[in-house]
Amino acid sequence: MATKAIDLLFILGSFELRGRYQRSMSIIQALPEEAVKIRVLSANPPPSLAEKIGRNSIYVDPYLQVPILSRISARFIKREYLKNRPDLIDIQHRHMHQLGSRLAREIETPYVLHLHDIPPADGQFEVDLRWCRRIITVSDSIRQQFLNQTGLPEELVSVVQNGVSIPREEDLQPILPEDRPPVIGTAGPLEKEKGLNHFLWAAKAILEKHPDVLFLIAGSGPEEKSLRQLAEELKISQSLTILPHLENFRQVFQAIDLFVLPELRQGSKLILLEAMAAGLPVVSSDIDGVAHIVDDGVTGLLVTAADVEELSTKLHELLIHRHQAREIGRLGRDHIRENFLASKMTESMLSIYQEILKTNRPSEQ
């Protein structure tokens, strides 16, 4: 007799082009249909989601993350999922935990929660131990910090590392060819903690030695205007392109030679994996969540966060020693293929879902 497919409700919140949502989409896209029936609750699902699971499996509520209005939405959401209760709820980010855990209680359904960073220690984040079956972190460092902060049982918190698909060899672009100007790029939400102002200051330093180099920032966010203003002040606007409103970064990786991750704090770092999978030499801030991805000097280069001089020096070295840059890109791609495949991430999540549903009863806590 065939095993019944798991009826799984993903709570995504508002879709944005950032690592945690790309991770969610990767899992949804790769979960086998015969094993999992997927439904999604989202404020603004991307078009590609309907292509995968069908529009009837998506509940759209634009007010999910709007204070006050989200409380009204919660009543309709409860009614929707009481009619056809899922086996398990997967809350894809801590910002949706309050709504997701409340729904779990009201329809008496277990849930899992994904943590891409550490919740603030302000008492506002509280796990419902009656219905929470697992908390998934994206790295060992986040798991350990979270356990130290909360004192929760170790068996409740698991690590499922990010994973990405590997582009075909024939789809890769040559790195630092001699017949065109080098392009140095970065990608992600345009926010202060992404360190993009330091990227621009490093760009100014690079242009003093390599005036033909071009720079690319791909992404949208509240810092776009201030970044354009800073580029004007630094007199580098003619060498800089900012590309907002993208649905993914695959084409960006085909346009650049060196990838920079100038972030100031920990996070999921999925964008770093994608750049390395595309064979790009990477230079990244040495922050939590990166050291287990980048072997400094082998699969990439690490620099002190916010250190503009060190960042520009490392980029200068790669521009001068192009063979070394290409070798770093090749080894980085091999490292991702061996350790960070999307298929492995999805298999780990499916195993957790199946383990949880072997005993689908609330705990006595």
Side-chain angles (χ1 to χ4, degrees):
M1 183 177 177
T3 304
K4 179 179 176 291
I6 298 170
D7 188 345
L8 181 64
L9 172 62
F10 276 83
I11 299 183
L12 294 183
S14 297
F15 182 83
E16 302 173 44
L17 190 54
R18 59 172 69 233
R20 60 178 178 256
Y21 294 101
Q22 296 300 103
R23 172 184 167 104
S24 301
M25 290 300 297
S26 294
I27 294 172
I28 290 171
Q29 294 285 354
L31 283 171
E33 294 180 6
E34 66 274 12
V36 182
K37 172 191 172 185
I38 297 172
R39 290 188 276 169
V40 170
L41 173 60
S42 175
N44 60 334
S48 56
L49 185 60
E51 295 172 8
K52 165 66 178 177
I53 66 174
R55 295 188 182 278
N56 291 338
S57 297
I58 304 173
Y59 186 101
V60 180
D61 189 325
Y63 305 116
L64 283 181
Q65 292 177 259
V66 180
I68 300 178
L69 293 178
S70 62
R71 301 176 198 169
I72 300 172
S73 296
R75 295 201 296 267
F76 294 99
I77 293 168
K78 173 186 174 182
R79 187 182 308 166
E80 170 70 18
Y81 292 111
L82 270 176
K83 291 187 299 183
N84 191 3
R85 186 178 305 170
D87 298 320
L88 184 65
I89 297 172
D90 188 326
I91 306 170
Q92 285 285 305
H93 193 265
R94 64 178 173 85
H95 292 316
M96 298 306 301
H97 179 247
Q98 184 174 6
L99 181 144
S101 60
R102 174 180 173 179
L103 178 63
R105 288 191 298 273
E106 291 180 336
I107 67 173
E108 298 186 345
T109 298
Y111 74 89
V112 300
L113 169 68
H114 294 252
L115 289 182
H116 303 258
D117 54 14
I118 305 298
D122 55 8
Q124 298 297 310
F125 182 85
E126 186 174 349
V127 175
D128 186 335
L129 291 176
R130 180 172 173 82
W131 293 105
C132 182
R133 291 295 183 273
R134 198 69 56 89
I135 296 171
I136 312 294
T137 69
V138 298
S139 71
D140 290 308
S141 61
I142 292 177
R143 176 182 184 271
Q144 195 55 57
Q145 290 180 61
F146 179 68
L147 287 171
N148 292 342
Q149 176 178 301
T150 62
L152 288 170
E154 289 195 4
E155 61 272 16
L156 185 65
V157 187
S158 299
V159 176
V160 176
Q161 294 187 133
N162 283 324
V164 295
S165 57
I166 306 294
R168 298 179 305 172
E169 195 77 33
E170 55 266 33
D171 292 335
L172 302 182
Q173 299 298 312
I175 301 299
L176 295 170
E178 301 293 340
D179 60 349
R180 63 166 173 77
V183 181
I184 300 175
T186 187
L190 308 188
E191 299 169 344
K192 283 188 177 180
E193 63 266 24
K194 301 304 179 182
L196 296 170
N197 56 325
H198 304 297
F199 175 77
L200 293 184
W201 278 101
K204 178 178 174 60
I206 288 293
L207 287 169
E208 292 173 357
K209 298 178 180 179
H210 306 272
D212 63 330
V213 174
L214 301 175
F215 295 86
L216 174 64
I217 297 177
S220 303
E223 289 298 297
E224 181 178 344
K225 182 177 179 180
S226 63
L227 289 170
R228 292 186 185 276
Q229 289 175 341
L230 178 58
E232 290 284 349
E233 294 169 8
L234 296 176
K235 297 181 170 51
I236 62 172
S237 295
Q238 296 301 313
S239 301
L240 173 69
T241 299
I242 297 179
L243 287 178
H245 312 305
L246 301 173
E247 187 170 336
N248 64 67
F249 294 127
R250 294 188 190 97
Q251 291 181 325
V252 172
F253 296 141
Q254 292 184 326
I256 64 179
D257 297 295
L258 306 177
F259 181 83
V260 179
L261 188 75
E263 289 206 28
L264 305 179
R265 66 178 181 85
Q266 66 184 10
S268 65
K269 307 300 172 281
L270 186 65
I271 190 70
L272 184 63
L273 300 181
E274 292 179 331
M276 294 171 70
L280 296 177
V282 300
V283 181
S284 172
S285 299
D286 188 6
I287 54 178
D288 283 348
V290 168
H292 75 292
I293 300 174
V294 175
D295 183 358
D296 189 23
V298 180
T299 61
L301 300 179
L302 297 179
V303 298
T304 305
D307 190 326
V308 172
E309 182 178 358
E310 187 179 6
L311 175 58
S312 61
T313 298
K314 295 291 186 182
L315 291 171
H316 169 69
E317 290 174 359
L318 292 177
L319 291 169
I320 293 296
H321 304 290
R322 298 192 177 196
H323 176 75
Q324 177 194 8
R326 297 182 190 109
E327 182 65 7
I328 286 174
R330 184 186 69 80
L331 292 175
R333 178 174 160 85
D334 290 345
H335 179 58
I336 300 305
R337 183 189 291 110
E338 293 168 7
N339 299 283
F340 295 96
L341 287 180
S343 57
K344 183 176 179 181
M345 173 181 67
T346 304
E347 288 167 7
S348 297
M349 287 307 308
L350 181 58
S351 177
I352 289 173
Y353 297 149
Q354 292 170 336
E355 178 187 339
I356 289 170
L357 292 174
K358 284 179 181 177
T359 55
N360 184 11
R361 294 192 303 271
S363 67
E364 297 303 319
Q365 299 186 54

